[in-house]
Amino acid sequence: MYFLLATITAFSIGFLITPIVISVLRKANIGDAPGGRKIHKKFTPSMGGISFVVATFVTLAIWGWQFPLPDIRFLLGAIALMFIVGLRDDMVELKAKHKLAGQFVAVLIVVVAGDIRIKDFHGFIGVHELPLLISYGFTSFVLLALTNAFNLIDGLDGLAGTVAAISLSILGGWFYIQGLESYAVLSFSLLGGVLAFMIFNWHPAKIFMGDTGSLTLGFGLGSLIVAFMENNAALPADAFLKIQPSFTAGIVLMIYPLYDMARVFAKRLAQGKHPMTADKSHIHHFMIRMGMKHNEVALTLGLLQLSLILLVFILGDFSDNIILPVLAAIVLALGFRLDKVTVKYVKRHSLNTPRILEIKPLTSTQKSKVKLDKEMLNPEEMNLN
């Protein structure tokens, strides 16, 4: 009951304060204008992460005393630091190296002070327990990758929130079942805040997450996934909901952001570009080119991620050495198919679109008819004239 109340509390707080955040950001003219890589059509406030981060921490202040939150005090502090990094970048853009340095400090707090790290591969590719320094280094790399992969998918109304909500629901439920209450209340508090934010971020979005939201949410989600992997691996062999392919289970919870990041980086490097070069080569850009709407893309990718997660959980009795190659093959095949379908659609659309020189100018009669039609569609404007 406490976890349900925590989710409802975070949702309620987020729902109440998000309109205030939107109003303040509009008055301060803080947001994204259309144009360039942007695919929205009007000025939209960003920094929406403020609403669900505030909702999460207020909820933890209300309900957290019921649970052993000192277990995750370093994680909560690191999430707050990542929030400040994102907030600073949204208000006054940080250089890439300074942004990465801030992220790295937050990661070190979690990995070194909080001891939330990948300690063992449990026989995957023949590797078992990792030496301490290698564990620190590998986990830091994983958290930075998960954080920035999630940040990269925040380019479409409702997409990042949908992906996060699915993974947070599964993580929160699993932590609750295993008695890991501090992780569970954090997961459900984040979930409630994100669900409230999505009401205003669903297409057409009234507000965007910004780095304030996407970095904080990606980092929090990544840290919870690492905690899930290690606690899952430590369960007895016959424990309920123990997932044997622990490494793969962690990957699949963020499979879409990870695949999208790997895909765009590979394409850019193949074209001789810097991997961080901004462009419109993300999967959601391709799906928009196919004629899909924002909400259709978000729901399709969300359902696909959920299907892959369920597949890994259903096949949870097999090892990483079997499940990870199967998952990789499925994802690569789907990605290859998407590329082929998109290219085919764009070519067909291009052939059916008249060339500029083929578009005949309107005659004076046609211009008059168009003007009359516009006036009939806008009677108020006609009366004013």
Side-chain angles (χ1 to χ4, degrees):
M1 179 59 70
Y2 284 122
F3 297 105
L4 177 60
L5 289 173
T7 306
I8 294 172
T9 302
F11 179 87
S12 301
I13 294 169
F15 182 76
L16 290 172
I17 68 172
T18 302
I20 300 172
V21 173
I22 293 172
S23 178
V24 170
L25 292 174
R26 280 194 178 280
K27 290 178 180 178
N29 199 36
I30 298 174
D32 285 344
R37 293 187 307 110
K38 310 295 183 181
I39 56 179
H40 56 285
K41 297 180 180 179
K42 61 180 181 179
F43 175 84
T44 306
S46 58
M47 295 171 61
I50 293 173
S51 64
F52 63 76
V53 172
V54 169
T56 298
F57 276 92
V58 172
T59 300
L60 290 173
I62 295 171
W63 297 104
W65 60 274
Q66 301 278 347
F67 309 105
L69 287 189
D71 290 354
I72 58 170
R73 62 189 183 278
F74 293 111
L75 172 56
L76 295 177
I79 289 174
L81 175 58
M82 190 65 78
F83 170 73
I84 294 170
V85 172
L87 187 69
R88 168 68 165 79
D89 190 48
D90 278 335
M91 297 190 72
V92 182
E93 189 172 355
L94 284 167
K95 292 182 179 179
K97 61 181 180 181
H98 295 156
K99 186 175 176 180
L100 190 61
Q103 294 177 24
F104 189 63
V105 174
V107 166
L108 286 181
I109 291 173
V110 168
V111 174
V112 179
D115 200 38
I116 298 174
R117 57 190 175 88
I118 300 170
K119 303 170 185 175
D120 199 318
F121 273 20
H122 309 283
F124 176 55
I125 58 174
V127 179
H128 290 273
E129 186 175 354
L130 298 174
L132 183 63
L133 291 179
I134 294 178
S135 174
Y136 283 160
F138 180 71
T139 308
S140 298
F141 170 78
V142 168
L143 278 179
L144 286 172
L146 291 175
T147 301
N148 288 285
F150 190 85
N151 184 40
L152 289 174
I153 69 166
D154 183 31
L156 193 77
D157 297 350
L159 177 57
T162 299
V163 171
I166 290 169
S167 295
L168 286 170
S169 300
I170 292 171
L171 285 167
W174 190 89
F175 285 132
Y176 167 71
I177 290 170
Q178 303 303 339
L180 299 166
E181 296 175 329
S182 55
Y183 289 116
V185 71
L186 175 57
S187 300
F188 285 124
S189 297
L190 275 171
L191 174 63
V194 169
L195 289 175
F197 172 77
M198 284 178 65
I199 294 175
F200 303 92
N201 183 239
W202 200 250
H203 186 68
K206 298 179 179 66
I207 189 169
F208 297 147
M209 278 191 191
D211 282 356
T212 306
S214 60
L215 286 179
T216 308
L217 188 55
F219 174 71
L221 190 52
S223 299
L224 288 169
I225 287 172
V226 172
F228 156 74
M229 291 168 65
E230 285 308 295
N231 282 285
N232 173 71
L235 290 174
D238 59 347
F240 178 62
L241 275 185
K242 176 182 172 64
I243 311 300
Q244 192 64 34
S246 182
F247 196 72
T248 308
I251 290 173
V252 78
L253 287 166
M254 283 271 268
I255 189 64
Y256 168 62
L258 286 172
Y259 172 72
D260 184 63
M261 181 177 70
R263 178 180 172 277
V264 296
F265 280 12
K267 282 181 174 290
R268 290 167 187 171
L269 289 171
Q271 295 168 359
K273 299 178 182 178
H274 191 279
M276 297 303 294
T277 303
D279 57 24
K280 288 188 176 181
S281 60
H282 292 280
I283 290 173
H284 56 265
H285 289 135
F286 272 55
M287 296 179 76
I288 289 290
R289 290 192 194 107
M290 292 169 60
M292 297 180 72
K293 298 177 181 178
H294 288 238
N295 53 343
E296 292 173 341
V297 174
L299 289 173
T300 299
L301 292 173
L303 287 172
L304 179 59
Q305 168 133 336
L306 178 60
S307 300
L308 292 173
I309 292 172
L310 293 176
L311 175 64
V312 171
F313 274 61
I314 290 170
L315 300 176
D317 292 334
F318 296 92
S319 71
D320 281 307
N321 292 313
I322 296 172
I323 301 302
L324 186 56
V326 170
L327 178 66
I330 293 172
V331 171
L332 289 172
L334 289 172
F336 179 74
R337 179 63 181 166
L338 173 67
D339 285 349
K340 287 193 68 175
V341 170
T342 305
V343 170
K344 184 177 179 180
Y345 176 87
V346 171
K347 284 182 177 179
R348 185 171 67 247
H349 180 72
S350 177
L351 289 172
N352 293 334
T353 303
R355 304 293 184 268
I356 294 176
L357 294 178
E358 294 176 358
I359 301 175
K360 297 179 181 180
L362 295 176
T363 64
S364 57
T365 305
Q366 289 172 326
K367 288 179 181 177
S368 300
K369 186 177 183 304
V370 169
K371 184 178 179 181
L372 181 61
D373 289 343
K374 286 182 178 179
E375 289 176 348
M376 292 178 69
L377 291 172
N378 298 279
E380 293 180 2
E381 184 180 330
M382 181 179 67
N383 293 335
L384 289 173
N385 291 334

